Amino acid sequence: MNAPRTPLNLDSKAPDGPIETAWDRHRQAIRLVNPANKRKYTVIVVGTGLAGASASATLAQLGYNVEAFCFQDSPRRAHSIAAQGGINAAKNYQNDGDSVYRLFYDTVKGGDFRAREQNVYRLAQVSVDIIDQCVAQGVPFARDYGGMLANRSFGGALVSRTFYARGQTGQQLLLGAYSALSEQIAKGKVKMHTRTEMLEVVVVDGKAKGIVVRDLRTGAVRSHAADAVVLATGGYGNVFYFATNAKGCNVTAAWRAYKKGAGFANPCFTQIHPTCIPFMGEHQSKLTLMSESLRNDGRVWVPKKQGDTRPPSQIPDAERDYYLERIYPTFGNLVPRDVASRAAKRMVDEGKTVVPGGMGVYLDFRDAIARLGRDAVADRYGNLFEMYERITGDSPFETPMKIYPASHYTMGGLWVDYNLMTTVPGLYAVGEANFSDHGANRLGASALMQGLADGYFVLPYTIGDFLAGEKAGFDDTSHAAFKDAEKAVAQRTDTLMSLSGTKSADHFHRELGHLMWEHCGMARTKEGLEAALPKVADLKERFWAEVNVPGSGDTLNQALERAGRVADFIEFGEVMVRDALTREESCGAHFREEFQTADNEARRDDENFQHGAIWAYEGEGVAPSRHIEPLEFRYVKPSQRSYK
């Protein structure tokens, strides 16, 4: 590994002192912007999912001018809309022992002690305000018979703290944020740019001052200047090609920021969701998520006998292995996602798959239907059952679901400090685009919580600390830095359009996905990761020699969009493999087979790896440099994670 040319500034700015009052004390200490002066500042927000839409709306409500960008035709089509199961909050409505501290504890433990304590505690604190905000917006959360907000359980917790709107929680929360965003658009405080893709971050005198974008309808490239830039562009799970993410989800915005000096933290921390419809063929477009909420009432099992191909109705209970309940009697089917996923893999590796010629386990609602009645189960999960039946042709009311783990969420992302600012001053990252709150594994129903916490309640405070020291109204797109960035975009486009290969970008993306899943997926080894590095390098070389991009660069061209995103995924894949290879331990979703306990659980190395790993770009063709942010645990003592 090469020595860094320029050390990254990794001052977390996390407050000292009692963690219970840290966020309040920090808000009192940071600089503020006069309300009359907020009208003079412009903030660019890239992405309009939960984090981006809530940030844009709230910043505009405070008085800032906001320019918001998304590559969809409407903010309502952001991938946040696909979230199903719910959103966590420490309200303790069930009076079952929940608290802000317990949510904080569960999150730190669930992330296998690889997250910054102060950020996680703030998230738990803010969670209670999110629910009030969303109820005020009219989000139709489920309610009990008496009209009170209902809660259900999710993996990694022994309390019921998950608020939900059937299996459409993400959709309803996004519509709430979209309504707030639409109000500000109508008032002229937010200028919305749809069907627009960010291709460069512009850094002027060491600070982020704008972006270069491509109009996806016309192909026109243009620059936008602002006083600060916020990236709310989601995660990079599609590096595996087959994932639960929308096909448009990509790493490009974060990768552009990385190449302009933003550190990329823990890229190997990628979550594999245990409850997805199994892979059925090379030419399907994506994998479909089945909500973790189904594990509240569904029981996961496989036949005890290897190669048992009998229909599930013909396999008696005595010949079924309810393996999560057997291995983890305390948490049972509600163990965290990384634990449940690896357990499913072990069952299939032992030859107990329920998908002939493929990979899968059963998620069975027979007992729940007998206990609660069909109507009650339909009320809780009806739309999810309908989705499953439409895709597979099987009704979960009649036969168990077949499920298997798949790439879902990414805990890694751009490094940010307590203010959510990256290592580039004036450049912020919120939601899944940053690394800050989940450590090595995200608990279910915490993604929506983090996105809305960042957008509604954290960034609107902390961005003022930076803007208060900046002269307002930067709008000089004629600056040399903008021209250089536009030139870089043009050169990249020209290079892609000039290639005369014979293979599509999808061909290379599929090959990358196979490579990453095999060597850097649910289980990793030193041997496999070392083999992957030259394979990724070879794939990159072949991509730039053999890809074919039809059409032209100055008009609507979805093949060009795709090729650019795949090129970035390939480059990112190398850093992800390097990160996994360097982290010689198992923690959370990062499972190195060499580092496991006698009963197949992740074995951490706190002496050598109790830190965040942050990678810095050192130039084309030069290996990136690795930096660390040590993690201190004063309130939750690191221990061997156990859900038994």
Side-chain angles (χ1 to χ4, degrees):
M1 187 184 306
N2 61 306
R5 294 182 302 174
T6 305
L8 294 178
N9 178 13
L10 298 178
D11 178 6
S12 72
K13 298 185 174 64
D16 292 325
I19 200 168
E20 298 85 355
T21 59
W23 175 226
D24 289 337
R25 288 185 285 105
H26 186 73
R27 285 187 294 175
Q28 292 166 10
I30 60 179
R31 294 174 291 181
L32 301 176
V33 178
N34 181 333
N37 288 338
K38 288 175 181 172
R39 297 190 294 269
K40 302 175 184 178
Y41 289 95
T42 297
V43 179
I44 284 174
V45 180
V46 185
T48 55
L50 284 180
S54 59
S56 295
T58 309
L59 290 169
Q61 288 167 351
L62 288 172
Y64 296 109
N65 302 299
V66 177
E67 291 205 46
F69 297 79
C70 71
F71 60 68
Q72 300 91 350
D73 58 1
S74 166
R76 292 173 298 172
R77 294 188 181 276
H79 183 57
S80 298
I81 207 166
Q84 297 171 352
I87 176 171
N88 287 329
K91 285 286 197 180
N92 194 32
Y93 282 170
Q94 304 302 308
N95 197 27
D96 57 0
D98 200 12
S99 64
V100 168
Y101 181 85
R102 189 172 292 278
L103 175 53
F104 159 67
Y105 174 86
D106 288 344
T107 304
V108 172
K109 175 184 174 183
D112 218 350
F113 308 96
R114 291 295 176 261
R116 192 187 295 147
E117 276 192 329
Q118 293 94 329
N119 285 68
V120 179
Y121 196 90
R122 177 176 64 186
L123 177 64
Q125 283 180 298
V126 168
S127 71
V128 300
D129 298 323
I130 296 171
I131 302 305
D132 297 340
Q133 169 91 4
C134 295
V135 169
Q137 291 174 334
V139 173
F141 287 121
R143 295 177 182 267
D144 63 23
Y145 182 77
M148 300 297 291
L149 294 180
N151 293 107
R152 58 189 176 197
S153 300
F154 257 62
L158 292 175
V159 297
S160 296
R161 64 164 65 102
T162 303
F163 295 77
Y164 63 98
R166 299 192 76 192
Q168 304 169 344
T169 313
Q171 178 182 9
Q172 300 304 326
L173 292 174
L174 185 59
L175 289 175
Y178 176 68
S179 68
L181 175 62
S182 296
E183 178 188 16
Q184 298 305 314
I185 293 172
K187 289 181 176 180
K189 293 300 295 180
V190 175
K191 185 175 182 181
M192 189 68 233
H193 303 269
T194 59
R195 298 297 298 155
T196 306
E197 183 169 26
M198 190 206 92
L199 295 179
E200 281 290 345
V201 175
V202 180
V203 178
V204 178
D205 297 329
K207 299 176 182 178
K209 290 296 183 182
I211 60 175
V212 177
V213 302
R214 173 182 167 87
D215 187 317
L216 299 181
R217 289 161 292 204
T218 67
V221 173
R222 58 178 183 268
S223 292
H224 295 264
D227 299 296
V229 176
V230 179
L231 299 185
T233 50
Y236 49 86
N238 277 344
V239 69
F240 293 105
Y241 185 78
F242 285 115
T244 65
N245 295 168
K247 290 297 288 183
C249 294
N250 61 81
V251 76
T252 290
W255 198 242
R256 300 288 128 232
Y258 164 78
K259 286 195 166 183
K260 285 298 178 69
F264 208 114
N266 302 332
C268 77
F269 287 173
T270 55
Q271 182 171 83
I272 310 300
H273 196 293
T275 317
C276 302
I277 298 178
F279 170 79
M280 293 297 179
E282 287 289 339
H283 296 289
Q284 68 186 83
S285 60
K286 67 184 295 292
L287 298 174
T288 303
L289 175 68
M290 287 285 102
S291 169
E292 180 176 308
S293 64
L294 294 168
R295 290 197 278 145
N296 273 280
D297 291 304
R299 301 180 70 189
V300 180
W301 65 275
V302 293
K304 289 184 176 179
K305 181 182 177 182
Q306 294 182 1
D308 191 337
T309 60
R310 289 177 293 171
S313 61
Q314 296 179 15
I315 302 177
D317 272 14
E319 297 177 32
R320 298 181 178 191
D321 182 5
Y322 293 93
Y323 58 88
L324 291 179
E325 299 170 38
R326 170 176 56 83
I327 302 172
Y328 308 101
T330 299
F331 281 75
N333 293 296
L334 286 175
V335 293
R337 293 174 175 180
D338 63 316
V339 176
S341 293
R342 286 196 296 273
K345 181 180 185 298
R346 289 203 303 274
M347 295 301 108
V348 170
D349 288 348
E350 292 174 8
K352 298 176 182 178
T353 180
V354 302
V355 177
M359 298 172 287
V361 300
Y362 285 131
L363 180 59
D364 196 339
F365 293 87
R366 180 199 65 182
D367 294 348
I369 293 170
R371 183 179 74 253
L372 302 169
R374 181 179 176 124
D375 290 345
V377 173
D379 284 343
R380 294 181 183 182
Y381 311 115
N383 63 313
L384 296 169
F385 280 24
E386 180 182 354
M387 184 192 308
Y388 181 88
E389 185 172 3
R390 286 186 176 184
I391 293 171
T392 67
D394 293 330
S395 169
F397 289 111
E398 308 299 333
T399 188
M401 285 185 177
K402 296 173 182 175
I403 59 167
Y404 196 67
S407 169
H408 178 56
Y409 186 91
T410 56
M411 288 73 66
L414 294 174
W415 182 91
V416 293
D417 62 17
Y418 193 68
N419 290 334
L420 304 183
M421 188 161 71
T422 70
T423 55
V424 176
L427 179 65
Y428 292 78
V430 294
E432 194 179 354
N434 74 36
F435 89 116
S436 65
D437 294 348
H438 305 296
N441 175 65
R442 177 177 68 79
L443 293 184
S446 288
L448 306 187
M449 177 174 62
Q450 187 212 343
L452 292 181
D454 287 356
Y456 282 137
F457 297 109
V458 179
L459 180 73
Y461 283 108
T462 60
I463 199 170
D465 187 56
F466 171 77
L467 292 175
E470 293 296 298
K471 182 180 178 180
F474 181 85
D475 62 356
D476 184 14
T477 56
S478 65
H479 191 283
F482 281 89
K483 298 306 174 186
D484 289 344
E486 291 172 5
K487 182 179 179 181
V489 170
Q491 288 177 337
R492 188 176 179 86
T493 299
D494 290 345
T495 300
L496 284 169
M497 298 307 307
S498 69
L499 299 174
S500 55
T502 59
K503 296 181 175 67
S504 69
D506 269 357
H507 170 89
F508 292 98
H509 193 183
R510 189 179 288 109
E511 187 173 341
L512 174 69
H514 278 299
L515 194 160
M516 297 300 292
W517 183 257
E518 179 181 357
H519 297 300
C520 200
M522 223 184 324
R524 299 146 184 198
T525 65
K526 179 179 181 180
E527 180 183 14
L529 293 165
E530 287 179 339
L533 276 176
K535 291 180 180 179
V536 175
D538 175 69
L539 182 64
K540 177 181 177 181
E541 183 177 341
R542 287 189 288 112
F543 173 88
W544 287 103
E546 300 174 14
V547 75
N548 176 264
V549 184
S552 101
D554 56 0
T555 186
L556 170 70
N557 191 338
Q558 291 182 317
L560 176 60
E561 298 170 34
R562 191 95 181 98
R565 296 169 189 170
V566 172
D568 291 331
F569 269 133
I570 294 173
E571 290 187 359
F572 168 75
E574 179 183 351
V575 178
M576 184 173 157
V577 171
R578 286 182 182 276
D579 189 44
L581 180 60
T582 306
R583 186 171 285 276
E584 294 184 327
E585 66 165 353
S586 290
C587 57
H590 168 65
F591 193 74
R592 287 279 298 269
E593 292 186 353
E594 306 96 319
F595 307 101
Q596 57 182 302
T597 65
D599 51 356
N600 306 117
E601 303 296 341
R603 178 164 57 83
R604 297 192 320 274
D605 180 353
D606 290 340
E607 181 177 350
N608 295 301
F609 291 98
Q610 190 170 290
H611 58 244
I614 300 92
W615 295 83
Y617 181 66
E618 297 289 359
E620 186 65 30
V622 179
S625 57
R626 185 180 187 269
H627 310 248
I628 66 170
E629 179 196 347
L631 297 172
E632 296 183 7
F633 295 95
R634 300 176 181 175
Y635 295 86
V636 180
K637 182 180 179 180
S639 59
Q640 175 61 45
R641 208 168 44 135
S642 174
Y643 294 93
K644 295 185 176 183

